[in-house]
Structures are given as structure tokens and as C-alpha cells.
Amino acid sequence: MSRLPRNIRLILLTVISILFCASCEKPKNKVISTSDQSESSVSVEWLSHGNGDYEQRYSKLAQIDSSNVKNLGLAWEADMGSLRGLEATPIVADGVMYVTSTWSRVIALDAVTGDVLWQYDPKVEKSWAKRLCCDVVNRGVALHDGKVYFGTLDGYLIALDASSGELVWKVDTLISRDMWYSITGAPRIVKGKVIIGNGGAEYWVRGYFSAFDTNTGELDWRFYTVPASKDGPHEHDELVQAAQTWADDSNWVGGGGTAWDSIAYDPELDTLYVGTGNGAPWQRNQRSPGGGDNLFVASILALDPENGKLKWHYQVTPGDNWDYTATQHMILADLEIEGVDRKVLMQAPKNGFFYVLDRESGELISAEKFVYVNWASHIDKETGRPVETGMGDYEDGAAYVFPSPAGAHNWHPMSFSSQTGLVYFSARDIGWVFNKAEDKWFTYGVDDLDDLIGDQKLPDTKGYLKAWNPVTQKLAWQLESDLIWNGGALSTAGNLVFYGNGAGEFLAIDATSGSVLKKIMLGTGVIAPPVSYQIDGVQYVAVMAGWGGPAFNTMQGGEAAMRFSNAGRLLVFKLNGGAVALPATKPARGAIPKQPDIRADAETIEKGRMLYYLNCAACHGVYGSVPLLPDLRYLSHQKHKIFNEIVRDGALEPLGMPGFADQLTAEDAFAVQAYIVKSANDAIGSPLAE
Ligand code: CA
């Protein structure tokens, strides 16, 4: 394989080029609780990803409550051996906590003392890093019958002995090791099967998810979320139906619909729910010329877990054109709506609407905007379909679309409190200019942006913690932040919400009023969701701190990442605990060094700029942002001398910098180098340089 096709490169580019950064009411509805946590006066633990099949992420523990949370302090902390993003939900069972760190490593700790019991490193090939849109993250393990299950970045599903950490079995979940698949999500256990999907829609893969036998790792069934092509072959009946919604396309690649995160299960209805990702490529006219809904991209699927047969589907964004995934967290609950007890499924996907569905039939109950949205005016109650405004169309030029591909809400888990009846989640107001023309993808401005905005009153670019009433579809309260990339949520019976943010703060909030009752400075940005558990009569709250994800989302803020080392930590709190020590501050970076004498013409530098955005910026950032990995303007002369060996041959692969010989010719690599040198020279003496 020489270079990635132009279209794939376009998609890569879109991932990294977010260049535009631009009445409350009290809940009063009866809520039927659906907690399945076992009653115990001694130990109440966090046994599964969403704290039960319904994935509500509500803890009925109330030792820590709104009156005493001011005394919250550190019980213990543990070094996660990482400098990048941490997204895992800790699982706690029988006094042991299981977490995942970067590169799909698993760590088991004593949940009371923090002592490390064992660690398992699947030794993911570092070259896999370039196949990831959004950092070398993992969102956690599943625990079942004495085994720990997790997926690896390079697509393996692994079962370990929970007491020793020894390998029990390992299977390859990928249908192709040449396509750029990955696993970052946590598996779920349903009826003796491990359910796992994968990521990669940004790289034009075909989505699917699979069920493996928990004991043997043998494949039980597999559900493809999109057809292999309009004409098949269709591996299962549902794809015949799906194929009707796709156009013939001689350039068919992938299709997308990857199931990279959200899974839930209703034992009573014996129904498995899986959320699917965006279409690939993003642009629908390119993906399916002439139109079509493109099932089952951006959809919620309800299946029989025995055989993977589809019961119903609800497509959240038909004909997705904007990376609007439906892989966001799904919560199952029983709510009284207009006097009727309803079994609902709730989701706040990237597209900006909060959906409440009947989870038995897939019927839309309600959907309302929770941030500024301009691509659709509303969701039609009769058809269940969005009514597009046309403001999201970019077939003939540019469109300034809200929400952006970062999502009005992304993977960060929500929490549903059966005490308050509210759903708590991390959201953001942010738009993005989509432009059909390839040479416009990188531009910071569109000449006629005012024309795109028209008479809209655009919101400020902000992040939020929202408390949402799913019955009335109204905001109860929100916390606002200048940072758009913050943590997941936990609610507890102590009338509390716990939440960490990108500024490196951990907050305890009154779940009813939204008042911040306690703020603990961690010094490390949080994107992960907290959990709570109780052992020997002591309630704990745990969260992983480690800033990361797609570099475009770290463009804003990331103060903690700027000031302090981003050394990943697992922090556990209890009442009357100790103080949190701030991490080491970063050594001063000094001035950008004098650059090597590399001469290139303007055309080469422009080519280098395009290639930099396509291949480098996802991790190394857009200049002026807060990159997770080294700012290349600071490269030493020594590294510049072996630039080609690093960039193409993978000389630094053991450190996580893959070789790009498959993507970049020597000439391309030189153009990138010339662009970096030009950027550095431009920054020397400017406010960007320190
Ligand atoms: Ca995506």
C-alpha cells in the first residue's frame, strides 16, 4: 500500500481540523427506580461499567451527602504510568478495583489501600497509534465469573484470571488487520457472552459488533451495522433491508457505523441495545451519491442477545453528514410520562437532541435540543425523523454547522438519579465549518463567514455540566465552563453529583440545585467518569485523572495540562481524607530553538502544511493549541537530522511515534519538515513562543 486514498485523507483531516472555536425548573415527576445493585450493609460495589445493566451510573450510597461532602478528602491515589488520556470506569468487586490505563493496560488494586495487586500489559504494537483518531485510550473492563474482560487498541479481546491477572484466552475480533480498526470501549457481559464492537469509522472501516463465549472466547454471533456494498454479500437478513437505503457506489469503502462505545441490556425484555457511529466518509453525497438514510449508521439498535437478530432500530441521524454518532451512552429507566409508566431508553448523542425512546418498540417519545443546533429544526413526532434546515448542507460550498463533530455530547458517560429524576451529562456549544472543497478544510476563516451565520445568534463556545429532566425535556440547571472537554458524571443517593473537568478540578455538586459544594484541585484534567463504592462501612468515590482524547478538543483551555505534568492518576476520596498533592509542574520549555537551515519553496511548505494537518496534528496539535505530544516547533537539531528516519522509518516507535512510510514519501516528509521549520521561525519572537 502506498498512500492513503485522497478520500481517506480528507476524513483524517476533518478529524483534526476543528478550526472554529467560536429557566430552570424543579423535577416533580414520579420516578420508578431500577437499581439492581445488591443490598449490603457492608459492601456495595461497582460491579459493571454502568453500575447495572440499565447503565444508570447512580449509586444508592449516601454516607457522603450534601451536608458533609465539604469534608471529602483523599483516601489514596495511584500512578497509572501514563502521560495521555485516561477514560476508564473503575470496576470494584470483592474489595478489588480493576482499571485500564493507556495502551490497553489493566491494573488491579486493593480498593481500600490502593496497593497494586497485579498488572497486565497486552503489549499493543505502538504502530497502531496512527490508526486512532482520539488517543491511546481505553474505557474499562468487564468482570464476570472470576474473569476480567477487555479489548485492546489493536483489536484483541482478552480474558484474564481476576485473581492473578494471568491470561485465560485471547481472540482477534478484527475482520481485517489491514483496515484501521481499534477497540477503545468497554465490553459488556450479557447472558454468558462478551459483547464488543470497535472504532475506525474515521478511517473508512465497516462497522460491526460481536458476541463471544465468556468461557472459551469462541465467536457466537456477529452483527454488521452496514452492508458490504449495495449488492452484498449480505451476511444477515437485516443487511438486505439496510442495503435499500444506500446508493450504488463504485467507490464503496467501509460505510462506517462502528459501535465503539455504548451498550445496554434489559433483562426483563431480554433486549440488547447497541449504539452505532458515523457514516464513512462523513460527506453523505460522497458516501452514497444520490441520497439514502444509510442504515444502520448513527442508529440505536435493539437485538436479541441470543442470536444477534434485530428487533428494531431507531436512526438518530438519517443520512449522517457531520460525524453525528449514536455511540453515546444509553440509559434505560422506567419513567412516568403523561401519566403512563414508560420503559424508556435515553440518549444525548452528538447531534444535539436529547432522545427518549420507548425501548420495547423503538418508538420516539420525545426529543428536544439541549444545546444550540442549526442542522435540524426539530424531530418530527410522527415520523421520528429530524427535519433538516438546510444549514448543514455543504455540497456546494461551506456551512457553519452546530454542533461540531466534537459532539454536543460525546462518549463521556451520563448519570440518571432515581432520587432527583434528572440526567446529568457533559455537553458543549461549539460549531464547525464544513467545506466541500479540500483546500478549504484547513482555513481558519471562511471569507464570507458572516453570510454563513446570517441572522443566527450564535452561542459562545462553552462546556457544560447539564442536569436535564427527561420527562419534561427541560434543563433543570447547568454549570458553565470555558473548557469544552470535561468528564463523565456520577449521581448518588446523597443528593450529589460528582464530576471532574478539564481544568483539573473534581467537583461535588448538589444534585437538586446545582450548587457546587466542594471543589478539589487535582492539577490534572479529568475526562473520565467517577464511580462510588462502599467497603467495611466506608463510602469511596474514585476517578481517573489524565487529560487527553482528540487533540482538537484540547485546543481550548487545558490549563492543567499546560501547567502540570499530565501524569495519569487514579484518585479515591472519602470523608475526612487527606489533601491532594498537586502534580509536578512542567519544566519551563524555554524559547523555540534556532531552526536548521532548510529551504523550500512556498508550494512545498503549503504541501507540508496540508500533510501536517492530515498526519500529525491529531496528536501533535494545531500550533497554538495544547498538544498532548511534543510541539514539533521545539524539535532539536539532532532530531531534525534524523527527521526522515523518525517520520517514515519509525525510529521512535518504541516511544509511541509510528513510522509513516505507508502514508508519506521522502518528499512528503521533507515538505512536512519544511512546514514545521517555517512555523517555528514564524513563532520565534511572536507571542506564541515562550
Ligand atoms: Ca467519528
Side-chain angles (χ1 to χ4, degrees):
M1 186 169 76
S2 57
R3 298 171 52 166
L4 284 173
R6 175 179 161 277
N7 287 339
I8 294 190
R9 290 142 54 83
L10 243 181
I11 292 309
L12 280 169
L13 188 153
T14 60
V15 175
I16 48 78
S17 56
I18 281 235
L19 299 172
F20 270 89
C21 292
S23 71
C24 300
E25 57 149 24
K26 288 278 190 311
K28 53 182 180 293
N29 309 286
K30 189 181 113 198
V31 172
I32 303 158
S33 166
T34 46
S35 173
D36 64 353
Q37 214 166 44
S38 61
E39 291 282 354
S40 165
S41 59
V42 180
S43 295
V44 174
E45 301 181 305
W46 193 279
L47 302 175
S48 66
H49 192 69
N51 200 26
D53 290 328
Y54 280 33
E55 303 267 330
Q56 294 184 349
R57 290 183 174 265
Y58 170 74
S59 168
K60 63 182 174 186
L61 295 171
Q63 182 179 87
I64 304 169
D65 64 25
S66 46
S67 72
N68 62 22
V69 72
K70 59 181 182 290
N71 301 321
L72 195 71
L74 188 70
W76 55 267
E77 68 167 79
D79 181 357
M80 292 290 100
S82 80
L83 291 169
R84 298 177 67 175
L86 295 178
E87 298 186 350
T89 294
I91 303 296
V92 184
D94 296 329
V96 178
M97 180 184 293
Y98 305 89
V99 295
T100 53
S101 182
T102 48
W103 297 104
S104 325
R105 291 174 295 125
V106 184
I107 304 167
L109 311 100
D110 183 305
V112 172
T113 65
D115 292 340
V116 173
L117 304 175
W118 54 259
Q119 302 192 49
Y120 183 88
D121 183 351
K123 299 196 166 37
V124 171
E125 288 173 50
K126 296 291 195 284
S127 63
W128 219 266
K130 68 183 176 188
R131 304 185 179 205
L132 306 165
C133 69
C134 308
D135 205 354
V136 293
V137 295
N138 183 285
R139 286 183 288 277
V141 307
L143 190 67
H144 172 72
D145 200 19
K147 292 194 233 2
V148 172
Y149 303 88
F150 69 105
T152 66
L153 290 172
D154 53 354
Y156 292 98
L157 180 67
I158 292 179
L160 303 176
D161 182 297
S163 55
S164 66
E166 276 165 25
L167 183 72
V168 179
W169 54 254
K170 172 178 178 176
V171 294
D172 187 353
T173 73
L174 301 190
I175 55 171
S176 161
R177 298 201 75 76
D178 295 327
M179 296 299 288
W180 286 20
Y181 283 106
S182 55
I183 300 178
T184 55
R188 307 296 201 284
I189 309 297
V190 176
K191 301 179 84 176
K193 304 178 209 306
V194 199
I195 315 292
I196 190 77
N198 45 51
E202 264 61 78
Y203 307 106
W204 284 27
V205 302
R206 180 186 182 199
Y208 63 90
F209 50 93
S210 318
F212 297 90
D213 185 284
T214 51
N215 288 319
T216 63
E218 200 182 327
L219 179 67
D220 196 330
W221 54 258
R222 173 164 285 158
F223 187 94
Y224 289 93
T225 61
V226 293
S229 79
K230 173 88 175 172
D231 301 322
H234 302 310
E235 291 86 346
H236 43 86
D237 292 347
E238 293 87 346
L239 293 171
V240 177
Q241 175 199 0
Q244 305 306 312
T245 66
W246 289 75
D248 282 314
D249 182 2
S250 54
N251 294 315
W252 190 295
V253 213
T258 47
W260 54 264
D261 196 62
S262 182
I263 302 171
Y265 175 63
D266 182 338
E268 190 194 328
L269 297 176
D270 192 24
T271 301
L272 172 71
Y273 303 92
V274 178
T276 72
N278 56 279
W282 287 2
Q283 208 172 323
R284 58 186 170 200
N285 277 8
Q286 196 181 4
R287 184 175 71 238
S288 182
D293 287 350
N294 296 174
L295 292 172
F296 298 99
V297 306
S299 300
I300 294 168
L301 306 179
L303 308 106
D304 181 342
E306 285 298 345
N307 51 24
K309 289 286 168 207
L310 191 66
K311 294 185 175 185
W312 56 258
H313 75 274
Y314 180 86
Q315 192 173 34
V316 169
T317 309
D320 165 45
N321 204 18
W322 311 275
D323 188 26
Y324 285 165
T325 64
T327 45
Q328 281 58 52
H329 184 187
M330 295 178 291
I331 290 179
L332 313 184
D334 297 348
L335 301 178
E336 185 186 311
I337 299 174
E338 294 178 352
V340 181
D341 289 346
R342 303 293 299 257
K343 294 178 182 303
V344 309
L345 180 154
M346 301 183 277
Q347 189 188 55
K350 276 187 177 184
N351 76 13
F353 289 88
F354 190 102
Y355 291 81
V356 179
L357 305 182
D358 181 318
R359 71 172 179 276
E360 209 163 358
S361 64
E363 175 206 345
L364 174 73
I365 296 173
S366 62
E368 294 296 336
K369 295 173 182 176
F370 59 89
V371 292
Y372 181 70
V373 172
N374 70 1
W375 71 278
S377 59
H378 63 286
I379 309 299
D380 184 85
K381 288 272 160 41
E382 295 301 312
T383 62
R385 296 173 66 90
V387 178
E388 291 189 22
T389 59
M391 296 182 75
D393 292 348
Y394 57 101
E395 282 77 27
D396 301 317
Y400 193 13
V401 184
F402 286 75
S404 88
H409 165 234
N410 207 303
W411 64 269
H412 312 84
M414 315 193 291
S415 177
F416 171 68
S417 166
S418 48
Q419 193 177 58
T420 63
L422 300 175
V423 177
Y424 305 92
F425 62 103
S426 205
R428 62 195 63 84
D429 262 315
I430 185 169
W432 190 34
V433 175
F434 286 83
N435 198 325
K436 184 186 175 186
E438 185 173 3
D439 61 357
K440 292 263 181 83
W441 283 103
F442 306 136
T443 51
Y444 275 83
V446 172
D447 296 341
D448 48 1
L449 188 59
D450 285 346
D451 289 346
L452 298 182
I453 295 171
D455 56 6
Q456 296 176 86
K457 287 201 175 57
L458 296 185
D460 292 337
T461 297
K462 293 276 185 197
Y464 306 95
L465 175 68
K466 300 230 177 210
W468 192 262
N469 185 325
V471 174
T472 61
Q473 287 280 17
K474 292 212 164 82
L475 182 72
W477 53 260
Q478 66 183 10
L479 300 185
E480 194 177 290
S481 159
D482 287 339
L483 305 182
I484 61 161
W485 204 238
N486 301 299
L490 163 72
S491 59
T492 72
N495 192 33
L496 291 171
V497 175
F498 292 94
Y499 159 78
N501 65 25
E505 298 165 339
F506 190 60
L507 308 178
I509 303 149
D510 183 297
T512 308
S513 70
S515 305
V516 176
L517 303 174
K518 178 75 176 180
K519 186 185 284 187
I520 299 175
M521 184 58 179
L522 310 179
T524 310
V526 175
I527 51 177
V531 303
S532 189
Y533 58 98
Q534 182 164 305
I535 296 176
D536 295 335
V538 179
Q539 184 186 355
Y540 301 89
V541 177
V543 71
M544 300 189 84
W547 184 243
F552 66 81
N553 288 331
T554 65
M555 279 180 70
Q556 291 205 318
E559 295 163 56
M562 205 62 160
R563 261 180 75 198
F564 298 108
S565 143
N566 192 39
R569 291 184 292 164
L570 167 60
L571 298 115
V572 179
F573 303 94
K574 64 177 182 179
L575 291 178
N576 306 311
V580 173
L582 291 178
T585 49
K586 277 185 177 168
R589 200 157 54 162
I592 290 179
K594 187 171 180 308
Q595 297 296 298
D597 187 15
I598 287 175
R599 303 209 179 149
D601 57 26
E603 196 183 334
T604 304
I605 290 169
E606 178 57 19
K607 176 182 166 193
R609 186 173 77 95
M610 299 278 282
L611 291 169
Y612 176 89
Y613 276 86
L614 281 169
N615 296 287
C616 317
C619 296
H620 291 284
V622 176
Y623 292 138
S625 74
V626 184
L628 282 175
L629 298 176
D631 181 332
L632 300 178
R633 296 171 302 180
Y634 288 79
L635 274 188
S636 64
H637 276 241
Q638 204 181 7
K639 292 232 171 72
H640 269 294
K641 271 186 197 148
I642 56 165
F643 192 85
N644 195 58
E645 287 84 341
I646 295 171
V647 170
R648 297 191 67 242
D649 304 341
L652 297 182
E653 197 161 296
L655 300 179
M657 168 62 198
F660 282 76
D662 286 352
Q663 284 74 44
L664 300 173
T665 64
E667 205 177 70
D668 292 341
F670 175 76
V672 171
Q673 189 176 17
Y675 167 65
I676 292 169
V677 167
K678 164 83 164 48
S679 305
N681 282 328
D682 286 351
I684 289 172
S686 83
L688 276 178
E690 287 176 10

